[in-house]
Every structure is written in structure tokens, then in C-alpha cells.
Amino acid sequence: MIHRESGLLKTSYQADMALYPLPIARWAVAAIAALAFLVVPLLLSDYYLSILNLVSVAIVGALGLNILVGYTGQVSIGHGAFMSVGAYTAANLATRLDAPFWISLPIGGLMAAAVGAVVGIPSLRIKGLYLAIATLAGQLIIEWTINHVTWISGGVQASIEVPRPRLFGMVISTQRQMYFFLLVFVVLAIVGVMNLMRTRVGRAFIAIRDQDIAAEIIGINIFRYKLLAFAISSFYAGVTGVLYTYYLGIANYEQFQITTSIDYLAMIIIGGLGSVLGSVLGAIFVTMLPIFLRITMETFGGLFFSSGAMLNIIPNLRLIVFGLLIIVFLVVEPEGLNRLWRNIRSYFRVWPFAY
Amino acid sequence: MFDWQFAALLLSNGILIGLMYSLIALGFVLVYKATDAINFAQGEFVMIAGFVVAVAITAYGAPLWLAVLVGLAGMIGFGFGLERVMLRKLIGRPVIAVVMATIGLAAILRGFGPMVWGAGTKSLALPIPEEPIILGPLFIPPIQLLGAAVSLLFLAAFSWFFLRSRRGIAMRAVADNQQVAMAMGIDVERYFGLAWAMTGIVSALGGIVWGNLLGVDVQLSLVGLKVFPVVILGGLDSIPGAIVGGLIVGIVENMAAGYIDPYVGGGTKDFAPYVLMIIALMVRPYGIFGKAIIERI
């Protein structure tokens, strides 16, 4: 990841597929883990940890969406709704049956996976644009159902309060405890995706993305693998919804509308389609962007605008910058932040020589 | 006892609203037909056009004809510029790239309109009577009649354009096969620009009639969400399909709102067209009039 190698000397497929290409990679990963688990929570205050917690939730969701869009090549504008399925399943389990989080979380994920697979059924017959619109329909229909069926959404403003998660008799309530809680899931999600893509299933996904008719001809059961991609991706989305619900302490459908689906798509586009590091970078980038913009505008905007105008400008400016970034990345660097990072690395690989 | 008057009222209202949906869907179809690009910002086009016309009237005191002209000219320029700056660079890229680019564009427009012209709802007055025309059991608001008329006019105009005019035939050639069209001496990029400009015209008129009906603010862009069921039902690349799809969606959503809403507590209007669309996708993925795509490796 951040180490320099002295040339690519791989001689076997095993070496090429290895998670740690060099011994030093283990140290790099260990260093990042130490940074994330020990240094960061000791140094940062609650406010910054709360931002990092939002980032953590976003990373899990972005990784899930990238399995579907980046690795399998199927567009989905319905991930916000899949997250809400997980969120409401877990919230109902937690409030009605007193289920602890380690039961409600996987069940929330599985429920989202089932719904996601159903929404993915049209992907057998249609693709590309038509599939995008079909998943958009899935988003709107799920949203409407949750909002209108009070048995699911619990009545008042379609929101359910959930108790804080407990682990070994300890209630996870502060931002710092939440940080560790969420970080565990981030690690699990990253390791899960990296390993999934090294298996037969992952290779089938990539084959379908690259050329689905050719993939079918070499014997990949397209229907099964497309549905599997939808299911796995939605499982991640469901888990994201559950984590977000536990983080906020409330399940609310307003957190899972079309704009959420689009935010997550923006994360993987800006980060880089079909890349784990890209999902992480994109999630960090898109989550931090509104916070960064707000702070910048609050610091410097007062020089140019009155405070009344600022109230109108800040949320709209966020939309404009967000849209501009998506377009700029699509036009200038379609492979996203991941590619930029690789460019930097390959520059330093041979530094101080040009090539 | 079945209430025929109520049904007739819902039906007539559905037909008129449906034709107004068709007007917006027409913009979507034009772009898809000529350039294979999917415009997820169609609703925002309509919103921006509504903003321009409404602001020209209320803030600058322009007469209506001038405001409409400014709106039309602005949207034509916007269409050409957009193609030049953004979409030309995305030709030949995967579907998701174009989809996301127009979603990004939608975000920009949704931020830009309220930021520059203020977030409050603006009224867009047209010199037509407010009171509905009463025809037996039917109540017909004049603005819906106007919208439907504009929509039908454009259907006729574009049908003529594509079937008879030299440019229309060239545009069909571009849509059919870009390389061959280029080899025959057609300036493909210019026709892409023209298609976006035509979408600009349709959106400007859509913005005027819908802006009058709903008032101009960010919510106006939500009209764009209705475009998808319309074009999927009719077929993405078919102009008569946009009209038929619009009629189906308008009638279905009015019927659903009239008959199902009392039992489920509202919101069926936004929900029913999408259910219909999912069924259509399963049965006829390329719509009623759409062209089936044959894929080769």
C-alpha cells in the first residue's frame, strides 16, 4: 500500500493474487491498524470522532455498492432503500423482541439481501440504463411501503428509537466507544470484499462486468451470479443501515432516500469503480465534503455575504460542488481517487528517476 | 354503485396531466434518440427554465413574450453549451458514466437555481383564466388544456421534423449508427448539440406550463421523476411512445389517487406509475414502441 517495491517480480498466479505482495506490506497494514485503533481515538476529540464514525458507516456502504457497480457492472440507484430495509428490520427486532445487536445486525443484512435480490431480478432481462431505472423504481416503491405501512415504520413520522448496542454487559454510548464498534465492521467489510474478489465468485462477477455475453458462453450462470451480486451488495447496504441506526439511535426513512443512493454512487465514482481503496477514499471524501465546505464558508464567507444569505448559500453550494466533483471526476479521471493514488505511487516507485 | 361522473372526471384530468408529462418526456426521448445519452436532469431542466421565465417577469418586470423568449434562448444556449462542455467528452463511455454525469448536473442545477434566485416559491402568471371550464361533469383547468395543446403541437412538429426535414433525417442517421453517419458526411457532434438544444426548447415550454401549475421552486424538479415511467412504458426512443406513455401514466396515477388513496392514506399518485413501470419492464423491456436492442460481442 504505502511501501515501495523494487520491481514487479511475480512468477505465479498465487503471488499475483496474494493479499500481501511483499513482507513489508504486513508491516504497512499493521501500522495503519495501530494508527486507526490506538493513535486516532487517543488524539481526537469527540467532535472529530463523530465525523470519523459517519465515515466508517459510509465506508461499509460504499464497499457494498462497489461490489455491485464496480465489480459486477450492474447499476443500482436503490441502495438507500436497501439500507432502510436493514435499518427497519433491525429496529423492529430490537424494540419488539429485545434482540441484541449481534442478532439484529445480521438479520437486518439478510433481509436487505433478500429484498435486494428481488429488485435485482429484472437484471436478467435488462441492463444498463433500463436496470438503473428499475432500481430507481425499487427505491421509490420500498420508500413508499416503509413510509405507509405503520406495522414496519412504527407510526409517528416513520421513525423508531432503538436502544444502544450492548457488548459483554457494556453499553456502547459515547462517540469513542462507537468508534471502536464501527471500526471493527469497517475492517470486516474491507477484508470481506478483498477476499471475495479472489474467489471463484469474485472472478465470475468481474467476468460479467467485462462482457456478460462472453461470460455466459464460458459457462458462468449469469442469472445466479447477478442475483448473488445484488444480494451480497444489499447485505452490505443492510448492515450499513443497521450500523447507522445504532449510531443515530433512531431508524428514520429520511436518512435513506434517493439522495442517499446518489451520495453512495458519488462515493464510488469519485473514489474509483472496482477498487477497495477507492471505496474507502471516496467515502471519506464525500462524507467530509459538506463539513469542509461549511467550515470554509463560515470562516471566509462572511467577508462576502451577509449571514442571512449564507443560510441560503451553504446547502446549495454543497449541491453545486458535489455535482461539479462528480462531473469533473467522470470527465477528467474516470478511475477516481484510486487512480490518482496509483499515479503518485508509481511516480515515487522510480523516484528520483523519470522512468 | 359505480360513480361514472367521478370516473370521467379522473379520466379527463388524467389525460390532460398525462399529455403534460409527455411534453417533459419528449425532451428526454429527443436526447436519447439522437445521442444515446440518458438525461437524469430532465426535471431540473424544466425547473431552471421555470426559474428564468419567472424571475424575468417578477424581478425584472419583463413582459411575458420577452420572458418566454429569454427562457427559450437561454435553454437553447444551455443545451448547446452543455453538449460542448460535458457530454461530448462522455461519448462512448459506459452507461453509468453518463447517468452519473447527468445526476451530477441535476445536483448542480438544483443548487444553482435557489442560490442565485432565492429559495422562495415564485408564481409564474400566464394571461389565461384561472377558473376551470365546466363541461357537464368535467372540470378542465385552462392551463392543463394549454399544456396538452403544446404537447400535441410538439408531437406533430417533431414527427414532421424527423420524418421529412433534412436535418431530422440526418439526426435519425446519427442515432442509428454514428460511424456510418460520419462517413456519409454528417457532422455528428453538431447534431448532438442540436438534440440537446431541442430538449432545451421542450424543457423551456414544460417549465412555463408546469411552473404556472405548481409554482417555481426546487420542488418543480420532482416532475422529472415522472419521466421514467412515461418513457419506459412508451419506449425510450419513440416520440409517439412518449405521448402514449404519458397518457397511460396520467390516467393510471389519477385513477389510483381517486380509488386507492382513501384506503392507504395518500401518496399513491407517486407510487402507482412505478409499479406499472416494473410490470412493463418485465413484460416488454423495450416499451410499447421502443426498438429492441440486439447485442453482439
Side-chain angles (χ1 to χ4, degrees):
Chain A
M1 290 175 81
I2 45 176
H3 47 82
R4 283 174 63 189
E5 53 290 68
S6 60
L8 296 168
L9 305 167
K10 291 162 184 163
T11 52
S12 67
Y13 284 118
Q14 273 76 24
D16 201 35
M17 297 290 284
L19 280 182
Y20 301 110
L22 289 172
I24 194 176
R26 284 174 205 276
W27 291 103
V29 171
I32 291 170
L35 189 73
F37 274 96
L38 298 173
V39 181
V40 167
L42 282 178
L43 287 183
L44 294 184
S45 67
D46 265 12
Y47 173 67
Y48 293 103
L49 282 177
S50 72
I51 296 173
L52 284 182
N53 287 342
L54 287 176
V55 170
S56 300
V57 174
I59 288 175
V60 178
L63 282 166
L65 187 59
N66 223 338
I67 295 176
L68 188 66
V69 183
Y71 287 107
T72 321
Q74 311 296 307
V75 188
S76 165
I77 316 184
H79 261 59
F82 302 154
M83 287 174 197
S84 69
V85 171
Y88 278 96
T89 309
N92 276 313
L93 284 173
T95 49
R96 289 178 195 217
L97 303 176
D98 261 342
F101 84 89
W102 49 268
I103 291 179
S104 61
L105 186 119
I107 293 183
L110 287 175
M111 190 65 122
V115 172
V118 171
V119 173
I121 289 177
S123 69
L124 178 66
R125 285 196 68 180
I126 55 178
K127 53 180 118 180
L129 161 68
Y130 286 89
L131 184 60
I133 296 178
T135 53
L136 178 67
Q139 163 88 36
L140 293 173
I141 290 172
I142 293 170
E143 217 176 85
W144 187 89
T145 310
I146 287 181
N147 209 359
H148 281 78
V149 180
T150 44
W151 187 80
I152 304 174
S153 56
V156 187
Q157 303 202 314
S159 55
I160 307 173
E161 279 189 51
V162 289
R164 291 283 169 196
R166 295 163 160 279
L167 196 64
F168 308 125
M170 192 177 73
V171 182
I172 298 169
S173 54
T174 66
Q175 291 289 350
R176 188 150 296 143
Q177 288 163 333
M178 205 41 120
Y179 175 78
F180 286 112
F181 177 73
L182 293 173
L183 198 58
V184 171
F185 288 101
V186 171
V187 172
L188 284 177
I190 291 176
V191 173
V193 175
M194 285 183 113
N195 278 307
L196 177 70
M197 289 310 144
R198 292 168 359 121
T199 60
R200 187 185 179 81
V201 176
R203 285 197 301 275
F205 286 173
I206 292 168
I208 290 173
R209 173 193 67 188
D210 289 346
Q211 179 40 274
D212 56 349
I213 298 174
E216 193 168 19
I217 291 166
I218 59 171
I220 293 167
N221 185 339
I222 294 227
F223 186 48
R224 208 173 88 200
Y225 280 107
K226 277 185 178 173
L227 284 197
L228 194 60
F230 263 98
I232 295 175
S233 177
S234 314
F235 180 83
Y236 269 78
V239 169
T240 310
V242 181
L243 290 178
Y244 198 42
T245 301
Y246 274 122
Y247 172 70
L248 289 180
I250 194 165
N252 189 345
Y253 83 101
E254 281 180 13
Q255 309 293 340
F256 307 109
Q257 287 177 321
I258 290 186
T259 47
T260 311
S261 298
I262 292 171
D263 280 355
Y264 278 90
L265 277 171
M267 284 176 202
I268 60 172
I269 298 261
I270 290 174
L273 290 173
S275 115
V276 171
L277 183 65
S279 317
V280 176
L281 293 177
I284 295 172
F285 193 92
V286 171
T287 316
M288 304 279 238
L289 176 70
I291 299 163
F292 174 76
L293 267 181
R294 204 189 61 230
I295 293 172
T296 319
M297 284 304 285
E298 275 167 0
T299 320
F300 301 108
L303 301 174
F304 308 104
F305 306 106
S306 67
S307 59
M310 293 273 281
L311 282 179
N312 183 26
I313 287 173
I314 291 176
N316 289 320
L317 191 68
R318 178 199 172 267
L319 276 175
I320 294 177
V321 173
F322 177 73
L324 266 181
L325 275 170
I326 295 177
I327 294 173
V328 165
F329 267 95
L330 280 169
V331 171
V332 180
E333 188 56 272
E335 289 175 60
L337 291 168
N338 179 50
R339 181 56 189 247
L340 288 179
W341 171 244
R342 286 218 315 265
N343 287 349
I344 295 170
R345 271 192 65 197
S346 51
Y347 174 78
F348 278 107
R349 176 177 283 153
V350 291
W351 187 84
F353 305 107
Y355 55 86
Chain B
M1 172 66 200
F2 192 74
D3 187 351
W4 285 106
Q5 288 201 347
F6 185 53
L9 185 64
L10 290 176
L11 187 70
S12 69
N13 205 349
I15 290 172
L16 290 173
I17 285 281
L19 283 172
M20 286 177 70
Y21 286 143
S22 303
L23 183 59
I24 302 174
L26 213 52
F28 186 96
V29 168
L30 280 171
V31 162
Y32 186 77
K33 202 171 162 63
T35 71
D36 270 351
I38 309 98
N39 188 5
F40 267 72
Q42 187 61 48
E44 281 74 11
F45 273 46
V46 170
M47 177 198 77
I48 282 290
F51 260 114
V52 171
V53 176
V55 167
I57 293 174
T58 52
Y60 296 98
L64 182 69
W65 62 267
L66 187 63
V68 171
L69 267 185
V70 167
L72 277 172
M75 290 308 288
I76 291 172
F78 179 65
F80 270 120
L82 191 68
E83 195 277 333
R84 189 76 189 79
V85 175
M86 183 175 113
L87 290 137
R88 191 174 290 182
K89 302 200 161 64
L90 295 172
I91 293 173
R93 296 274 295 280
V95 173
I96 173 114
V98 184
V99 168
M100 279 310 293
T102 52
I103 286 176
L105 179 68
I108 294 177
L109 294 180
R110 224 179 301 137
F112 183 80
M115 190 167 100
V116 177
W117 294 305
T121 307
K122 294 163 188 55
S123 65
L124 202 168
L126 294 178
I128 47 172
E130 299 254 322
E131 313 78 59
I133 303 161
I134 298 168
L135 231 92
L138 308 179
F139 294 82
I140 299 172
I143 177 64
Q144 293 190 8
L145 212 55
L146 178 73
V150 170
S151 187
L152 287 174
L153 186 73
F154 269 83
L155 168 77
F158 282 124
S159 298
W160 175 84
F161 175 79
F162 276 108
L163 287 176
R164 290 275 174 273
S165 81
R166 194 179 161 78
R167 284 179 184 208
I169 293 167
M171 200 177 265
R172 263 164 56 209
V174 171
D176 202 41
N177 190 327
Q178 291 172 16
Q179 274 188 337
V180 175
M182 223 180 266
M184 302 304 283
I186 295 170
D187 185 352
V188 170
E189 286 172 345
R190 212 185 64 177
Y191 281 96
F192 279 12
L194 191 62
W196 281 98
M198 277 158 61
T199 294
I201 297 176
V202 176
S203 306
L205 290 165
I208 293 165
V209 286
W210 277 101
N212 178 280
L213 195 67
L214 302 175
V216 178
D217 59 4
V218 175
Q219 302 297 321
L220 186 57
S221 65
L222 293 181
V223 159
L225 280 181
K226 287 283 163 55
V227 165
F228 299 113
V230 172
V231 293
I232 290 285
L233 283 168
L236 279 173
D237 49 5
S238 158
I239 289 176
I243 301 287
V244 174
L247 285 175
I248 296 175
V249 166
I251 292 168
V252 165
E253 75 166 28
N254 265 283
M255 290 288 177
Y259 289 114
I260 305 175
D261 261 2
Y263 303 105
V264 294
T268 332
K269 221 177 162 95
D270 303 319
F271 170 73
Y274 275 90
V275 176
L276 193 68
M277 183 184 101
I278 290 278
I279 298 168
L281 275 174
M282 295 292 200
V283 183
R284 271 189 79 90
Y286 299 105
I288 301 171
F289 296 100
K291 190 173 61 178
I293 300 165
I294 300 164
E295 261 190 274
R296 298 183 180 86
I297 299 181

